[in-house]
Amino acid sequence: MSTSLQSLLPTLSVAMVAMRDGVRLATDVYLPEGARAGQRFTVLLERTPYDRRGTNHGDYSLAEQTPRSKPEIARIFAAAGYAYVLQDCRGRYGSEGVFTKYLNEGEDGVDTIAWLRAQPWCDGRIGTLGLSYGAHVQSALACLDPPGLGAMFLDSGGFSSAYHGGVRQGGAFELKQLTWARKHALLAPETAADPARKAALEAEDIREWIGRRWTAGNSPVSAAQEYEDYVLEQWDAEDFSPYWQRLGLYARGWYDRYADVPMVHMSSWYDPYSQTAIDNFLGLSAIKRGPVKLVLGPWTHGQRSASFAGDVDFGPAAPLDGNLAPDYITLRRDWFDRHLRGTDAPEHLAAPVHLFVMGGGSGARRPDGRLDHGGRWRAETAWPLPGTVERTLYLAVSGLVAAAPADDSPPLSYDFDPADPVPTLGGALTSGAPLMEAGGYDQHDSAARRDVLVFDSAALDADLEVTGSVVAHLHVSSSAVDTDFTIKLVDLYPPSDDYPRGYALNLAHGILRSRYRHSFERPEPMEPGAIHDLVIPTFPTSNLFRRGHRIRIEISSSNFPHFDVNPNVDWRVPGATPQVARNSLHVDRAHASHIVLPVIPADR
């Protein structure tokens, strides 16, 4: 029996979906080929500020190196029997309204899901997916537990607390927010419609502005006031105030109300949302039926089909493709088939935690010029990993040592000049172009600076796995009332023919603005010359330090342009002139500065 053309629904339909305040969001609906009137489908929703009809540079696979566009991916899921919905966030591309980063996404997401449930082609089951900001919007709507939400796949985002990672960290401001604002102000629909605004934005060079404190009317995005407004609002909100505990910025404050649905939290070691993924996994798996899964790869932001991060390669085991699942599309399709549609699809993430342990490679320079660091995937039952042992190493004049100091060694001091900060070279970051790139790089040059304290362990006599966050307990003093202290964990390779001075691979970083040493809500000045105690955790990592390698810890006071630079002055005095600070790390018997390593025993 033939089906009349009149009974077939269009494969693609376009709608302007009204939110509760009347603003309409551009929404594309992709239905399976041959969908008939009255037929109902499970829906997958992807909300994005990056153009619902655009292409993400990470959406390639090992088998297909050219990235697929969002419409192409939508049609692949539609061919699998889903209704796939792509929507531009408020104030972006085809959608109406004014864009304010992060703060409208909870309500807009809930309103969109309510609209979907009312459509005759929706069977009432809705899953969400998306990368980066596309994960942030998922977590924001999940905090409101909308009816119909049935499963989620959050990739590299979904703020557990934007103040503690993603917008700020340790009280410092992440300057990727500035490079992101500049790029996307240029791509805003208001810019496309206003030649004068576009010309004004294009006339500014972000390189000339990144080291300056922006103010209203005095920034490279002044022509795009809505972007300038939210950047300054976030930059000026220095303390952990109610501003940061709002919907869209602070999922951990909403965990009790968060949707109880199957969910994946995926990130990577060189991504700024690895801690967010871990926090959300820990907070939600403890109180939800789930299942709740955690995936941590060795990649940079969204590059889940790559084997490398920066200047370092992790081998054929590194890509998601062929290791966790055939490819990223298959991983998500099978997740939703199994946990949203209830089919007997393959369970690629059977264990609660899947993580990639970096290290174990040859250490040679590959033909492409990258270090062969190697690594492997491992399935685990929990985070932190069962059997983790805390090992303390002390920061001493002689390096990183196992025994606490027994003498009164003088402090180790350096001058920190805000006009000459330690340059960022790789790390867990994103959206930094054209000023910085994520990943692993040789840190030898930065370690040679006079304002960087370097502590090396003895050469290891056996392999040592570190998985988790390294925590530094520092006793410090300063000539300033406020200054920053930074930490960097490094895998130091021994010299070789390919690397005559060895290779100093950055693994994880941490930072603390000293006035927040007791509380992020209530800053306190330092007493110049007095000794103060700081606790600085690094971002998480997982690395196998090979026999013959050394563990290196670097201590300094800046990491720029990853973070804004502390001017070393009283923050309560507007416009105070930056000053050089004499900063000291105390390593004597009474002030035994040390780090705590999360070590995974080889025989566990």
Side-chain angles (χ1 to χ4, degrees), residues 470 487-491 505-508 541 545 551-553:
V470 175
I487 176 176
K488 187 186 298 179
L489 174 67
V490 173
D491 184 347
L505 170 60
N506 56 303
L507 297 172
T541 191
F545 292 83
I551 300 170
R552 170 173 285 183
I553 295 293

Side-chain angles (χ1 to χ4, degrees), residues 33-56:
E33 194 77 38
R36 299 182 302 276
Q39 194 172 4
R40 290 153 61 88
F41 305 96
T42 302
V43 178
L44 297 180
L45 170 64
E46 180 179 355
R47 305 187 63 247
T48 179
Y50 300 125
D51 187 1
R52 71 193 193 281
R53 297 177 180 174
T55 302
N56 181 280

Side-chain angles (χ1 to χ4, degrees), residues 394-430:
Y394 294 89
L395 306 174
V397 174
S398 59
L400 199 59
V401 299
D407 56 18
D408 293 325
S409 299
L412 304 173
S413 303
Y414 58 91
D415 290 330
F416 163 42
D417 184 354
D420 183 26
V422 177
T424 298
L425 181 58
L429 57 91
T430 187

Side-chain angles (χ1 to χ4, degrees), residues 317-563:
L320 180 154
D321 312 55
N323 293 300
L324 289 185
D327 54 46
Y328 185 52
I329 288 177
T330 302
L331 175 64
R332 293 179 295 166
R333 185 199 64 207
D334 288 347
W335 173 260
F336 288 117
D337 280 355
R338 188 178 185 89
H339 296 287
L340 189 59
R341 295 206 291 199
T343 70
D344 189 24
E347 178 60 278
H348 304 288
L349 305 175
V353 178
H354 292 261
L355 63 89
F356 190 89
V357 184
M358 301 180 290
S362 69
R365 187 190 299 272
R366 290 163 42 91
D368 60 13
R370 293 189 174 95
L371 172 74
D372 177 24
H373 191 58
R376 65 187 180 96
W377 284 98
R378 197 165 67 216
E380 295 286 350
T381 59
W383 181 279
L385 305 195
T388 299
V389 175
E390 293 187 346
R391 179 176 296 183
T392 298
L393 294 177
Y394 294 89
L395 306 174
V397 174
S398 59
L400 199 59
V401 299
D407 56 18
D408 293 325
S409 299
L412 304 173
S413 303
Y414 58 91
D415 290 330
F416 163 42
D417 184 354
D420 183 26
V422 177
T424 298
L425 181 58
L429 57 91
T430 187
S431 303
L435 301 176
M436 50 186 164
E437 298 290 341
Y441 294 91
D442 192 342
Q443 306 293 307
H444 269 103
D445 290 342
S446 65
R449 289 174 56 110
R450 293 182 178 179
D451 55 357
V452 178
L453 302 178
V454 178
F455 302 89
D456 292 343
S457 73
L460 298 174
D461 57 11
D463 291 354
L464 180 73
E465 181 187 331
V466 172
T467 295
S469 292
V470 175
V471 181
H473 298 261
L474 307 182
H475 302 277
V476 303
S477 59
S478 177
S479 61
V481 296
D482 187 46
T483 190
D484 291 354
F485 284 91
T486 63
I487 176 176
K488 187 186 298 179
L489 174 67
V490 173
D491 184 347
L492 184 61
Y493 274 74
S496 66
D497 290 342
D498 286 337
Y499 300 100
R501 60 177 181 172
Y503 195 103
L505 170 60
N506 56 303
L507 297 172
H509 74 273
I511 188 169
L512 181 64
R513 194 143 287 174
S514 297
R515 65 179 183 261
Y516 295 114
R517 64 196 178 277
H518 295 141
S519 166
F520 288 111
E521 292 88 351
R522 293 174 295 279
E524 300 176 30
M526 301 176 75
E527 179 185 345
I531 298 176
H532 299 275
D533 298 340
L534 308 184
V535 178
I536 309 176
T538 70
F539 255 42
T541 191
S542 182
N543 187 71
L544 182 68
F545 292 83
R546 294 300 304 272
R547 180 177 180 271
H549 290 213
R550 300 173 190 266
I551 300 170
R552 170 173 285 183
I553 295 293
E554 296 179 13
I555 304 292
S556 191
S557 292
S558 53
N559 182 354
F560 174 81
H562 191 162
F563 301 101

